[in-house]
Amino acid sequence: MKSPFISYDPSKCIHCQRCINVCHNIACNSTLKSSRSGTYHIVDAPFGKDYKESGCESCGNCASVCPTGALTLKREKSYRNWEVKKVLTTCPHCATGCQYYLVVKDDKIVNVEPANGPSNHHRLCVKGRSGSFDFVHSGDRLTDPLIKDRATGEFRKVTWEEAIDYTAKKFLEIKDKYGSESLAGFACSRSANEDIYMVQKMVRTCFGTNNTDNCARVCHSASVSGLAKTLGSGAMTNPIHDITHDVDCILLVGSNPEEAHPVVGMQIRRAVKDGTRLIVVDPRDIGLSKQADIHIKLRPGTNVAFANGMMNVMIREDLIDHEYIEKYAEGYEELKKIVEEYTPEKVGKICHIDPDMLIEAARMYATAKKAPIIYCLGVTEHSTGTEGVMSMSNMAVLCGKIGRSGCGVNPLRGQNNVQGACDMGAMPTDYPGYQKVDNEEVRKKFESAWGVALNPNPGLKATEVFPAAIEGKIKGLYICGEDPVVSDPDTHHIIKALESLDFFVVQDLFMTRTAEYADVILPGISYAEKEGTFSNTERRVQRIRKAVTLKGNMRPDTDILTDLMNAMGYKQPYLTPAQIMDEIASVTPSFAGISHARLDAGESLQWPCTGKDHPGTPIMHAGGPVRGKAYLYPAVYKESQELPDEEYPFMLTTGRILYHYNAAAMTSRTEGLMDISGEGFIEINHKDAERLGIDNGERISISSRRGSITATARVGRKVSEGETWMPFHFPDSPVNELTNAALDDFARIPEYKVCAVNIAKIQA
């Protein structure tokens, strides 16, 4: 089987070396090679039958620079340049926020071409280039509103009028009978900012509750909560380009950007190539650990102990910035007292690491002039996730690496608009712009803007709504675009919650596993069919633009929400996405200067952007921490909630792979991606596999206290003995049937990264 995406015709090659240069120096993957056949020079292109074993990431960056058509994307044969239009937009996958053009022929997207965006600089990954449009035209798109007959369980097509009237009536009946707090509504972190703003506005003005949230609750709510507590703002401090170019050292903790944020991964590879030192802190042998100066292969769930050990060395060897601490930090003496106990030897035992390696890592990070901390879900998705985030902040503050170029604390947000979902107020504690719902002055401002009395009480977080549904406290739920049956931990618990509801509405593109439990399904439209904005991981607000109009009765999500609000008695005018952004700016100080007009004029804006002439804020905390002084939170290491025992002797952690994205609702509809990687697997240490008689490639059983699934064994050295790892993308191995819904004390984020499992051969 040849590459599903790229073809190579050596007869057209002029040996210009552009493709090799891009592969080696831009994507920095080094799979394209220059070779010879006698005296004849050839490009050794890995797109033939062994392409899966070549190391090629199918990013297509090589084909994008070929001047002769020797290297081409296979789909380019379906059109000619004069037949198409090109629409500049933002990638809908991870939160890197890559800019590209959708290439459209006869109202169908036929290709993607990279743009020179501030976070990608012409680079794209395989998902952005090849997995971002097939789902738009998928034959299983929802095209009409559906209402379920609860007696038969069957859905029937209805008109929009019937669907809206029925939905509004049922929600109002529940509100009248049980009160506002019996309702909840979740926004989607893949939706546009304008959609998300309208979801939370509907929940607050029509439902009368603050029970609104988004999927940041289960990925980066610990970042929002932790960084807000320590620095005063729960967002990435520095731009992507700033922390991957001209830096001396990168401390990469619990993050595998080559797979989860591939274009960031490419830029980190480039930095290493240019001499940047790299410290990888991860329980697995990830791709970047091979290039790292130090790989601290710590035990999952021990991030706080690791950070405290780093700070122990920094303080003991006087590698800290006393002047910065004195001027811009508080809580130093208490933190110093706590971390005194975390000697390298003690931390070595807790984390299962070499104490000398910890000492060397602390010295390397602390003494570097420019050194960012970059982290991801390996830090946040723990029952101590918020304390893990605050520990990352502590390290940066101690070394004075806050508010400076090439430094900071930088969470790589997972989904394309998970930053925006929090910014827009899809949280039970915050209005847009992180303005607190229990602040009377703030509440009065929103009451004046929205013309209705608002609930003063913080609402339930998403991970609290599901237990409340089982208890009978939440009776009605609206979900826009999320699929918690697949994405949330302990699947059976989520299903039980959905089945406990009196009324459940889903607004989505597809009949997801969650939608199957709905009473009403409202078909929305994709990013390629609407106007709006996404906010990427570096707080950069970027445009998405309408490229196609599809056949069917799907409607813009903001129009659906406006209809529902009016049907529930709230007089919401019909606004364009640009007008909605203007409303957002009018009530959100950090967005006050952001508008579609400025973005369309070519400005690149990162919030805070406090006025129409404000240029935006690339680096946060430049004049000192937003909260005045950084709080050095004294975190004490606590074990994960569920550890291996005799019955379940292995530790399971989960994550993403390069070729798929979350629940794979988008990427699984691209045939080529499924060809490259289409089934679930579990990584097992070779010594464990040998002891259990498990062969590489064998289908095995994995069970926890919550369920049992099967997956294909990948035997090797990527994980340590007693540890296993699985991706969560594949329906044949639904790993969240196993994961633990134990919650963090602060953000109520689930502990995806550690649960106890048993693995076994499948008995014939």
Side-chain angles (χ1 to χ4, degrees):
M1 179 68 183
K2 295 183 178 180
S3 166
F5 300 122
I6 305 170
S7 63
Y8 175 48
D9 182 352
S11 69
K12 295 180 179 177
C13 180
I14 59 171
H15 314 145
C16 66
Q17 306 286 304
R18 289 185 185 182
C19 59
I20 292 173
N21 180 58
V22 163
C23 188
H24 284 251
N25 297 317
I26 305 300
C28 297
N29 195 36
S30 302
T31 52
L32 274 172
K33 293 180 173 60
S34 180
S35 186
R36 286 189 179 277
S37 176
T39 59
Y40 188 69
H41 174 271
I42 59 173
V43 172
D44 192 1
F47 307 123
K49 62 181 181 179
D50 298 326
Y51 82 95
K52 290 184 183 179
E53 285 73 48
S54 69
C56 174
E57 296 175 341
S58 298
C59 66
N61 290 304
C62 56
S64 72
V65 299
C66 180
T68 66
L71 282 172
T72 58
L73 296 176
K74 290 180 176 180
R75 58 180 173 267
E76 290 177 349
K77 296 176 182 177
S78 67
Y79 66 92
R80 296 291 180 266
N81 279 333
W82 59 84
E83 299 175 322
V84 301
K85 68 173 183 177
K86 299 178 182 180
V87 180
L88 181 63
T89 193
T90 304
C91 181
H93 292 295
C94 78
T96 304
C98 295
Q99 297 293 285
Y100 59 51
Y101 295 94
L102 292 174
V103 181
V104 180
K105 176 185 176 182
D106 299 331
D107 231 12
K108 183 177 181 181
I109 304 166
V110 292
N111 200 9
V112 164
E113 293 182 359
N116 189 19
S119 62
N120 65 308
H121 302 281
H122 293 293
R123 298 175 181 87
L124 290 177
C125 77
V126 62
K127 291 191 292 289
R129 192 183 299 274
S130 297
S132 57
F133 57 90
D134 286 322
F135 77 93
V136 174
H137 299 285
S138 178
D140 61 346
R141 281 280 300 270
L142 294 167
T143 58
D144 295 275
L146 303 172
I147 291 179
K148 180 185 284 179
D149 183 338
R150 280 213 167 189
T152 64
E154 298 294 320
F155 286 102
R156 61 182 176 89
K157 289 184 181 181
V158 298
T159 64
W160 274 106
E161 291 77 10
E162 182 178 354
I164 294 294
D165 290 347
Y166 179 71
T167 299
K169 176 186 171 189
K170 294 293 287 185
F171 278 135
L172 290 176
E173 284 176 355
I174 292 171
K175 180 180 177 181
D176 290 342
K177 187 173 181 180
Y178 300 105
S180 293
E181 302 295 5
S182 65
L183 297 174
F186 301 157
C188 176
S189 301
R190 293 189 299 279
S191 296
N193 283 319
E194 295 77 5
D195 301 355
I196 296 163
Y197 175 82
M198 294 300 290
V199 170
Q200 61 85 35
K201 184 178 180 182
M202 180 187 76
V203 172
R204 290 182 161 119
T205 59
C206 299
F207 289 3
T209 179
N210 289 308
N211 293 338
T212 187
D213 214 336
N214 74 92
C215 84
R217 186 60 52 202
V218 295
C219 63
H220 265 293
S221 59
S223 291
V224 177
S225 176
L227 294 181
K229 193 174 181 69
T230 58
L231 300 176
S233 174
M236 186 166 170
T237 59
N238 292 52
I240 291 168
H241 189 271
D242 181 67
I243 59 173
T244 57
H245 294 74
D246 187 30
V247 292
D248 303 299
C249 176
I250 294 172
L251 177 56
L252 186 71
V253 187
S255 175
N256 185 5
E258 286 184 300
E259 304 213 43
H261 302 84
V263 169
V264 176
M266 293 174 191
Q267 292 175 78
I268 291 175
R269 292 193 299 229
R270 177 71 244 184
V272 172
K273 202 175 177 84
D274 289 341
T276 298
R277 289 186 164 186
L278 177 63
I279 304 165
V280 169
V281 183
D282 200 286
R284 296 169 67 225
D285 287 332
I286 61 173
L288 283 170
S289 62
K290 298 182 183 69
Q291 301 181 40
D293 295 83
I294 296 172
H295 177 202
I296 295 180
K297 197 172 181 179
L298 80 179
R299 184 168 170 80
T302 61
N303 295 316
V304 171
F306 154 74
N308 283 350
M310 290 276 284
M311 290 184 283
N312 174 288
V313 176
M314 294 171 188
I315 293 171
R316 182 163 45 85
E317 298 191 2
D318 197 24
L319 304 176
I320 60 177
D321 189 332
H322 294 280
E323 184 179 345
Y324 187 88
I325 294 168
E326 172 114 17
K327 189 174 182 181
Y328 291 121
E330 60 185 9
Y332 171 68
E333 291 302 327
E334 189 176 356
L335 178 69
K336 180 181 177 182
K337 187 176 179 182
I338 290 287
V339 303
E340 274 177 5
E341 301 174 25
Y342 290 86
T343 63
E345 292 71 28
K346 178 179 178 177
V347 171
K349 290 177 182 176
I350 294 171
C351 299
H352 298 185
I353 60 174
D354 182 347
D356 289 338
M357 201 173 282
L358 179 76
I359 294 169
E360 183 64 22
R363 291 169 177 167
M364 192 179 290
Y365 169 74
T367 58
K369 184 178 179 182
K370 290 184 175 183
I373 296 174
I374 303 174
Y375 73 87
C376 197
L377 306 185
V379 169
T380 61
E381 289 182 341
H382 293 277
S383 55
T384 55
T386 304
E387 290 170 303
V389 169
M390 292 191 283
S391 297
M392 300 300 112
S393 175
N394 288 346
M395 287 192 288
V397 171
L398 279 187
C399 296
K401 291 180 167 65
I402 295 290
R404 290 169 43 199
S405 175
C407 295
V409 187
N410 301 282
L412 296 180
R413 307 301 291 266
Q415 300 195 56
N416 57 303
N417 202 32
V418 74
Q419 180 66 58
C422 298
D423 299 343
M424 293 299 101
M427 296 197 294
T429 53
D430 294 28
Y431 293 118
Y434 307 95
Q435 300 172 85
K436 302 303 176 186
V437 300
D438 56 2
N439 181 313
E440 187 177 358
E441 185 179 338
V442 167
R443 187 174 67 256
K444 285 181 177 177
K445 180 180 80 170
F446 278 92
E447 287 179 339
S448 175
W450 292 345
V452 65
L454 296 172
N455 192 322
N457 304 311
L460 294 176
K461 299 172 176 67
T463 46
E464 296 169 332
V465 164
F466 294 116
I470 294 171
E471 294 167 14
K473 295 176 183 176
I474 294 292
K475 300 289 187 180
L477 177 62
Y478 164 92
I479 294 182
C480 178
E482 299 292 350
D483 191 6
V485 170
V486 175
S487 60
D488 280 32
D490 193 355
T491 300
H492 298 295
H493 165 77
I494 300 296
I495 291 173
K496 184 177 180 181
L498 297 180
E499 291 177 336
S500 300
L501 294 166
D502 287 3
F503 187 59
F504 177 37
V505 178
V506 166
Q507 188 169 323
D508 214 315
L509 304 181
F510 301 105
M511 180 62 76
T512 62
R513 284 192 65 192
T514 298
E516 292 171 6
Y517 294 91
D519 295 291
V520 178
I521 302 176
L522 306 174
I525 60 176
S526 72
Y527 83 110
E529 303 162 70
K530 67 174 67 169
E531 301 289 330
T533 56
F534 293 156
S535 300
N536 77 342
T537 190
E538 58 188 358
R539 297 172 282 105
R540 194 181 303 276
V541 182
Q542 301 183 118
R543 286 278 275 119
I544 56 170
R545 295 180 175 89
K546 183 175 181 176
V548 292
T549 301
L550 272 59
K551 292 180 180 178
N553 293 319
M554 309 84 79
R555 298 184 60 210
D557 296 79
T558 52
D559 286 358
I560 297 170
L561 292 160
T562 300
D563 276 353
L564 279 173
M565 294 168 78
N566 280 288
M568 284 188 278
Y570 180 81
K571 295 190 183 303
Q572 171 62 43
Y574 288 86
L575 303 175
T576 65
Q579 290 170 327
I580 294 171
M581 180 53 73
D582 290 341
E583 180 176 323
I584 293 165
S586 72
V587 293
T588 312
S590 58
F591 272 66
I594 295 176
S595 67
H596 285 206
R598 287 187 73 181
L599 299 176
D600 288 340
E603 292 191 69
S604 187
L605 302 174
Q606 292 169 268
W607 67 259
C609 181
T610 55
K612 292 183 179 179
D613 296 321
H614 193 281
T617 308
I619 297 175
M620 294 284 285
H621 316 295
V626 170
R627 75 183 294 274
K629 287 198 170 186
Y631 175 39
L632 294 165
Y633 180 87
V636 176
Y637 165 68
K638 296 188 276 290
E639 289 186 331
S640 299
Q641 295 276 326
E642 183 180 83
L643 295 173
D645 57 18
E646 279 190 38
E647 187 177 1
Y648 298 99
F650 292 91
M651 186 180 282
L652 170 69
T653 189
T654 67
R656 294 185 174 98
I657 65 170
L658 171 62
Y659 299 102
H660 287 286
Y661 175 77
N662 281 21
M666 298 188 290
T667 52
S668 66
R669 289 171 169 84
T670 295
E671 188 177 332
L673 294 178
M674 293 299 289
D675 173 67
I676 296 172
S677 182
E679 68 170 13
F681 60 88
I682 180 168
E683 293 177 355
I684 305 168
N685 184 271
H686 67 104
K687 291 183 180 179
D688 293 325
E690 183 179 353
R691 192 175 67 255
L692 295 170
I694 292 171
D695 295 324
N696 187 50
E698 179 182 351
R699 198 78 181 176
I700 65 170
S701 169
I702 310 102
S703 57
S704 75
R705 290 177 174 83
R706 291 156 293 280
S708 182
I709 63 172
T710 64
T712 300
R714 291 193 180 178
V715 177
R717 291 176 168 79
K718 291 190 79 170
V719 294
S720 300
E721 277 190 83
E723 298 172 17
T724 64
W725 184 92
M726 290 185 72
F728 57 87
H729 312 295
F730 301 106
D732 69 316
S733 298
V735 69
N736 282 322
E737 291 190 15
L738 309 178
T739 49
N740 191 9
L743 301 178
D744 161 277
D745 289 340
F746 297 85
R748 311 305 284 166
I749 192 170
E751 188 150 50
Y752 288 102
K753 297 302 183 190
V754 181
C755 75
V757 298
N758 190 20
I759 58 176
K761 294 176 73 71
I762 297 174
Q763 300 302 317

